[in-house]
């Protein structure tokens, strides 16, 4: 009788070992344990934005700010401190509301003396006409320089209030204690929401008014009436 070679014996042992290993994979001991300290974890679903349901809810927009509906498709909320971003939104909204009002009024009413300085110019054209007339020596046209100066001055004197907010002070973003009509005494949260909504609408509105002026050379009322 011929004896099996060592190579054949090693092959049989390896084959048996492999079969045992495969079988042990299906034994109860190999199944995952749910004993104490072991937690089954599945995929975590991220909350969706309330305003844009197919986008994830921005992490910083947790609903604590007035007017927060989770709308931030460009990721602006990730660029800095939310208090600073809210301050900027309120300030731009207020400026846009003033600008939109001014753009509409200049189509409806001419202030005395303005036509003598800039003629029928309006919008961006009025700014350019004021500057060119001032450079030509027209003293009345320096009104635009005065506006620019006082706007810059107000920006500087309000900087300490912004620093107070950013350094953890009690001041709310956009609060300058300026409320001569007592609007905030009615319902501060409701009025704040109205300001945010109207400011956002005004920013979109003045952007459209300016671009229409670039294309047609007409103000908003002129564009609507066709005159």
């Amino acid at each position: 009788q011929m004896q099996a070679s060592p190579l054949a014996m090693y092959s049989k042992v390896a084959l048996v070992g492999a079969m045992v290993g495969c079988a042990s994979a299906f034994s109860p001991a190999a199944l995952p344990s749910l004993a104490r300290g072991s937690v089954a974890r599945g995929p975590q679903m991220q909350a969706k934005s309330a305003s844009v349901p197919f986008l994830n809810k921005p992490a910083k927009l947790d609903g604590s700010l007035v007017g927060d509906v989770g709308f931030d498709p460009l990721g602006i909320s990730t660029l800095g401190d939310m208090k600073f971003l809210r301050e900027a939104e309120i300030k731009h909204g207020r400026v846009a509301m003033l600008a939109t009002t001014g753009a509409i009024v200049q189509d409806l009413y001419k202030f005395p003396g303005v036509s003598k300085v800039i003629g029928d110019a309006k919008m961006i054209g009025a700014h350019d006409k004021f500057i060119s007339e001032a450079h030509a020596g027209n003293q009345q046209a320096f009104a635009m320089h005065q506006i620019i100066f006082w706007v810059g001055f107000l920006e500087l004197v309000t900087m300490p209030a912004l620093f107070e907010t950013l350094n953890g002070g009690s001041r709310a973003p956009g609060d300058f204690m300026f409320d001569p009509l007592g609007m905030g005494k009615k319902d501060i949260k409701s009025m704040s929401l109205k300001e945010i909504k109207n400011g956002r609408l005004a920013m979109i509105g003045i952007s459209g008014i300016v671009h229409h002026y670039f294309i047609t050379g007409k103000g908003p009322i002129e564009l609507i009436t066709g005159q």
Side-chain angles (χ1 to χ4, degrees), residues 121-126 208-219:
K122 58 183 60 178
M123 302 289 294
I124 308 300
I209 290 172
V210 170
H211 282 82
H212 275 294
Y213 173 80
F214 285 146
I215 297 172
T216 66
K218 296 181 179 181

Side-chain angles (χ1 to χ4, degrees), residues 83-111:
K83 292 182 179 179
F84 175 81
L85 296 175
R86 172 45 61 97
E87 182 91 23
E89 181 182 30
I90 293 175
K91 180 176 290 186
H92 283 84
R94 290 169 177 170
V95 171
M97 286 188 280
L98 291 173
T100 303
T101 303
I104 294 173
V105 169
Q106 67 180 356
D107 275 356
L108 302 175
Y109 178 76
K110 295 290 185 182
F111 288 94

Side-chain angles (χ1 to χ4, degrees), residues 112-118 129-131 133-147:
V114 174
S115 297
K116 296 179 180 179
V117 182
I118 62 173
K129 188 67 175 178
F130 270 117
I131 299 299
E133 285 293 317
H135 289 174
N138 188 338
Q139 297 296 321
Q140 292 179 315
F142 277 93
M144 178 59 67
H145 292 73
Q146 294 181 47
I147 293 173

